[in-house]
Amino acid sequence: MSKLQDFKPNYYDGILEMDALLDAEQPAFDQATAAINRLLLNRFVMKADSDGLSLLESELGIETDLTQPLESRRYDILIRLLPPHPITFKYLKDLVKSFDISASLQRDVLKQTMISYSRQDSVTAEQLRRLRYLLNVYLPSNMDFQIKAVGDVAVPEILRMGMALDVHIETVVLPQPVKLGGS
C-alpha cells in the first residue's frame, strides 16, 4: 500500500496540519486502493472472489450456485469462456489434462463410445463432475461415454473355488421284434 506521506511535496515538511491531514486521509485511501484492486482482480477468473464470480456467471448466463466451491465455479466459467476450437480427440485429452483431471481417455469408434479410466484414489468427486460436464458438452450427440474409476479392493475372506459334477445318464432301449414259433 502507498503512503500518502511519500507523495507530500518538500515545502510541506514540518507542517503539522499537513501531516495530520495526510494521516487522517490514509485509511480512506487504503480502503479505496483495496476496492480498486479487488475490482480489477474480479475481472480475471482465477483471481476473482465470490462476488466477482457471481458477476461473471450472470454475464455468461450461468446460474449462480453459492453452495459450490469457488474452484468449481471458476472451472464452469472457464469452460464457457474457451475459444472456439475444432473438437478433436487430442484436444479433448489436452482439455481434460488442463482442468487437472487425472483420467485416461479411450475411444471405441465402432461402438461410438468414449471411456474414461481413472484411479479412484487420484480423482475427487468434483473432478468427476467436471469430467462429466466436459464430456456432455464436447462429445457429439451420437456418442456415448462411460466414466470408470478403478480401485484396489482387499477381501479378507478366503475365496474357495471348487467344481461339482452331476452326471445324469438316461438310456433308451428299443424293443427287438421276437419271432415266435417255427421257421
Side-chain angles (χ1 to χ4, degrees):
M1 292 282 172
S2 297
K3 296 288 182 189
L4 289 176
Q5 291 286 349
D6 297 339
F7 298 107
K8 179 177 69 170
N10 292 339
Y11 51 84
Y12 282 121
D13 286 343
I15 300 180
L16 295 175
E17 290 84 4
M18 183 53 73
D19 289 338
L21 181 63
L22 291 176
D23 289 340
E25 291 293 326
Q26 187 65 45
F29 181 75
D30 291 342
Q31 190 176 20
T33 304
I36 290 169
N37 286 339
R38 180 56 23 212
L39 184 66
L40 175 66
L41 290 176
N42 278 342
R43 297 312 301 162
F44 297 95
V45 177
M46 296 310 285
K47 299 289 183 182
D49 60 3
S50 182
D51 294 334
L53 291 177
S54 296
L55 181 64
L56 290 168
E57 287 168 336
S58 72
E59 288 175 0
L60 294 171
I62 300 172
E63 184 177 329
T64 301
D65 185 6
L66 296 177
T67 62
Q68 293 282 341
L70 289 179
E71 286 302 310
S72 173
R73 292 174 61 197
R74 280 190 178 98
Y75 282 112
D76 290 345
I77 292 169
L78 285 175
I79 288 172
R80 291 282 181 93
L81 290 176
L82 286 173
H85 192 282
I87 301 169
T88 62
F89 184 63
K90 182 184 180 318
Y91 174 70
L92 187 61
K93 286 170 54 173
D94 291 342
L95 194 60
V96 167
K97 185 178 179 183
S98 71
F99 279 105
D100 195 29
I101 302 171
S102 60
S104 167
L105 295 178
Q106 295 179 357
R107 62 183 170 186
D108 187 347
V109 179
L110 296 176
K111 293 181 182 177
Q112 292 292 316
T113 303
M114 178 77 63
I115 303 171
S116 163
Y117 294 100
S118 57
R119 300 265 324 145
Q120 190 174 11
D121 53 354
S122 67
V123 67
T124 64
E126 179 60 31
Q127 289 172 327
L128 290 176
R129 188 190 72 75
R130 265 186 257 146
L131 178 63
R132 186 177 339 111
Y133 181 79
L134 272 175
L135 294 177
N136 270 329
V137 170
Y138 282 100
L139 287 182
S141 61
N142 65 338
M143 196 166 195
D144 191 19
F145 68 87
Q146 298 173 5
I147 298 175
K148 297 183 178 186
V150 181
D152 296 327
V153 177
V155 179
E157 298 295 323
I158 298 173
L159 182 61
R160 299 182 192 270
M161 296 182 72
M163 188 167 88
L165 185 61
D166 184 19
V167 179
H168 179 72
I169 299 175
E170 187 175 312
T171 307
V172 175
V173 179
L174 297 175
Q176 295 288 329
V178 181
K179 288 186 180 181
L180 293 175
S183 46

